[in-house]
Amino acid sequence: MFLTFEHAEVPVGALVKGAHSWRYVEYISSYPYFHVTALDRDGEGERLTTLLIYTVPDLLDLAASESQGWLIQQVQLVSPGHMNGTGQWKMEELGAIEAVEFSRRTSYAYLLAGGGEYVERKEAASQPQSHRRVVYRSRSGG
């Protein structure tokens, strides 16, 4: 989840009516999130924008909003060091997300466009392919 503070709000107003602008936000979690480049197409034109998305369901909602004018251009997975094995946060292009079912729970596997996979829970890595289903695939087919 992204946390904002009143003192970080930019006082000049919003670039978009009804929105607020912030000098910074705090990320208060050690879970992965998504850095999404998307095209916002409305009746007045197109606007390339970047969104920071916290959950897989929110990313899936955005991917399903093509009929409302949104088109995802690229998704970068921002993964914490304990997940990517480096001890540091890392941002890499996402190819696909698989839901992995095991022990009556769902976890996610993140397949990177350049190869490799990160899992939310270690148990998910050992699950057979029959327990996995693709829930998101990048436009480039990753």
Side-chain angles (χ1 to χ4, degrees):
M1 169 184 333
F2 301 99
L3 181 65
T4 60
F5 298 94
E6 288 181 19
H7 67 269
E9 186 172 5
V10 177
V12 294
L15 299 174
V16 179
K17 186 177 181 178
H20 297 268
S21 297
W22 306 96
R23 291 190 307 269
Y24 64 88
V25 297
E26 182 179 347
Y27 188 60
I28 56 173
S29 179
S30 62
Y31 293 103
Y33 66 93
F34 307 98
H35 181 274
V36 181
T37 304
L39 193 60
D40 179 10
R41 301 173 296 188
D42 61 19
E44 298 177 18
E46 298 181 342
R47 177 178 67 97
L48 191 62
T49 189
T50 301
L51 304 168
L52 303 179
I53 298 179
Y54 175 61
T55 67
V56 171
D58 289 338
L59 177 64
L60 299 179
D61 285 348
L62 179 63
S65 347
E66 258 190 56
S67 62
Q68 284 100 30
W70 285 95
L71 181 62
I72 293 176
Q73 301 290 303
Q74 184 181 52
V75 178
Q76 300 275 330
L77 175 70
V78 183
S79 61
H82 68 83
M83 177 182 277
N84 64 44
T86 67
Q88 304 286 324
W89 284 90
K90 196 171 179 183
M91 188 163 88
E92 300 167 273
E93 186 175 357
L94 182 68
I97 301 173
E98 293 180 337
V100 183
E101 307 293 335
F102 64 97
S103 304
R104 296 186 184 184
R105 53 172 51 157
T106 300
S107 185
Y108 293 106
Y110 304 97
L111 287 69
L112 304 175
E117 172 183 291
Y118 300 143
V119 292
E120 286 182 338
R121 294 187 179 99
K122 292 188 188 296
E123 303 96 330
S126 62
Q127 296 302 308
Q129 194 60 40
S130 61
H131 290 207
R132 294 174 169 237
R133 64 184 165 79
V134 174
V135 295
Y136 174 81
R137 186 174 305 283
S138 75
R139 295 183 78 75
S140 60

